[in-house]
Amino acid sequence: QVQLQESGPGLVKPSQTLSVTCTVSGDSITTDYYFWSWIRQPPGKGLEWMGTIGYRGSTYYSPSLAVRTSISRDTSKNQFTLQLTSVTPEDTAVYYCARDRWYGALDPWGQGTQVTVSS
């Protein structure tokens, strides 16, 4: 069964770049018709979709975050990485990666990793 595991810095200073990597096992991130997404949940708030990278490498971003967001992949390591620039304390959240489908079902998810933005 496919498994996803997030890895992040834990703590990032304001104005710096947040980088979180998702390592996928049990499936290839290049498999046709699968998509790989980043979702975050700030404390006390709901889930927020951030962006997605498709099986051919195309990327899609939330309009509210697009100017600060970049998703890339390393197919040799079966990993995809989220970068969020110019972070503020409002970017503090649990960051999740998840596999998506062409029809928009997010399954499975990683466990999530806490990232705190603070000086």
Side-chain angles (χ1 to χ4, degrees):
Q1 186 177 13
V2 60
Q3 294 178 299
L4 291 79
Q5 178 65 59
E6 302 90 344
S7 178
L11 181 65
V12 183
K13 295 180 179 180
S15 80
Q16 294 187 338
T17 297
L18 180 159
S19 182
V20 188
T21 295
C22 184
T23 300
V24 179
S25 61
D27 196 11
S28 172
I29 61 174
T30 63
T31 298
D32 286 2
Y33 310 130
Y34 286 130
F35 301 81
W36 308 89
S37 296
W38 286 102
I39 308 96
R40 69 179 182 180
Q41 186 170 35
K45 298 183 180 180
L47 297 168
E48 179 185 23
W49 173 74
M50 302 184 69
T52 296
I53 187 164
Y55 55 96
R56 293 182 178 178
S58 298
T59 52
Y60 313 87
Y61 302 112
S62 169
S64 64
L65 297 170
V67 297
R68 297 196 293 130
T69 306
S70 178
I71 300 175
S72 59
R73 66 180 184 174
D74 185 339
T75 57
S76 68
K77 297 180 179 180
N78 215 37
Q79 296 177 329
F80 61 104
T81 296
L82 168 74
Q83 290 189 306
L84 185 68
T85 63
S86 303
V87 298
T88 72
E90 292 186 352
D91 294 311
T92 294
V94 177
Y95 286 77
Y96 299 94
C97 57
R99 185 178 68 178
D100 209 342
R101 311 288 205 282
W102 66 267
Y103 51 88
L106 292 154
D107 180 26
W109 295 56
Q111 292 290 317
T113 186
Q114 172 71 44
V115 179
T116 300
V117 180
S118 176
S119 60

